[in-house]
Amino acid sequence: MDINLSLRHLRAFVAVADCGGYSAASRQVNLAQSALSRTIKEIEDELAVSLFDRTTRRVSLTAAGEQLLLNAREAIASFDGAFLRFQHYREGLSGTVSLAALSSVASILLPPVIFEFQSLRPNVRVSLEDGFAGEVVDSVMQGRVDFGITSLPRKKGRLICEKIAADTLTCICSSRHRFASKRSIEWRDIEGEDFVSFALSSSIFEVVEQGLRSADVSLGNITKARDIGTVAGLVSSDLGISVVPSLVLPMMQFCEYRGMPLSNPVVERNIYLIYDPETPMPPASTFLMDLLRRGPRSKFKIPNGVRWIDYPDGSCQANSN
């Protein structure tokens, strides 16, 4: 059976039942007493029952009224609860944030930021996937995540890229290497050295290649590896030196190695917040992105050689491939 009643009807009915009369109920629901009486009559006509036993001093519920009161309270509570949950979502207080990030960012840069975020938004679930730079870009472009954090993508399409951090390239070697006693080295010092390189699929490969080209340095034997841990293991076994961003050094501490600042030139790897402006962004995700943009003014702990970049100075809309 189709019942043509609204929440307005139910709220009016509950008010009369709770107040025990029309006068007090009309003040509670902000309706004239005559309008409230018509509303109750509409309910009774629609349901073909009498809801109240009326006397000159008070109204009391009939058996049908008692049953309807239970149902009306349940319906109102369900409706109010649903819209409260929506309000929390709209204010970024609930929902899910999904993001993808470089492994070094996900393990070193993001944890204190996410901890702060969840202390402010305890009812929001954070879903984080890590990967290589191209994988992060693909996840954002295909809509699998709300936003990503990566080095500057080779193919940006319509993505917006905002530079939020940078880390300096550092030379690492085994504790037995002749560089181990040095406090710093220059790019020209690694001429002819055996070298442990990141694979082409890694964002680190490209930025290190830029440094080598700018210093016009040629290397000796080159061993390539995809994983940060593999590079660390090969270097600590004295199979070559390597050049890595400062952000990955904490991920190599299981191995014995020496790290030295690398200069002439000083080379940085830029870290970008990327997102698709045409994809709707959950409010909670916007809040987390704003926390990242406020990195320079935060107390988030970051490794030596890594720096936050003040927003919006580092922002750029990158719409070309």
Side-chain angles (χ1 to χ4, degrees), residues 89-156:
Y89 168 82
R90 193 181 69 172
E91 295 174 356
L93 298 173
S94 66
T96 300
V97 173
S98 60
L99 69 152
L102 294 172
S103 295
S104 56
V105 172
S107 61
I108 306 300
L109 197 64
L110 276 179
V113 182
I114 293 176
F115 180 84
E116 173 71 10
F117 171 80
Q118 295 199 310
S119 70
L120 298 171
R121 297 289 189 272
N123 295 319
V124 177
R125 187 171 69 89
V126 177
S127 175
L128 170 64
E129 63 178 55
D130 65 338
F132 288 111
E135 294 170 342
V136 173
V137 174
D138 288 343
S139 291
V140 175
M141 295 189 74
Q142 294 170 17
R144 294 198 301 268
V145 296
D146 300 326
F147 65 92
I149 305 174
T150 185
S151 59
L152 185 62
R154 296 186 183 100
K155 292 185 178 181
K156 298 174 284 290

Side-chain angles (χ1 to χ4, degrees), residues 43-120:
I43 302 174
E44 291 179 325
D45 290 345
E46 182 69 23
L47 299 179
V49 296
S50 177
L51 298 175
F52 295 103
D53 288 325
R54 297 165 175 84
T55 68
T56 56
R57 301 183 62 184
R58 182 174 179 83
V59 297
S60 58
L61 288 166
T62 64
E66 293 280 4
Q67 181 60 51
L68 181 61
L69 184 60
L70 294 173
N71 299 138
R73 290 194 194 283
E74 182 179 345
I76 291 171
S78 178
F79 180 87
D80 289 345
F83 271 82
L84 179 61
R85 289 191 294 274
F86 176 76
Q87 181 71 10
H88 286 171
Y89 168 82
R90 193 181 69 172
E91 295 174 356
L93 298 173
S94 66
T96 300
V97 173
S98 60
L99 69 152
L102 294 172
S103 295
S104 56
V105 172
S107 61
I108 306 300
L109 197 64
L110 276 179
V113 182
I114 293 176
F115 180 84
E116 173 71 10
F117 171 80
Q118 295 199 310
S119 70
L120 298 171

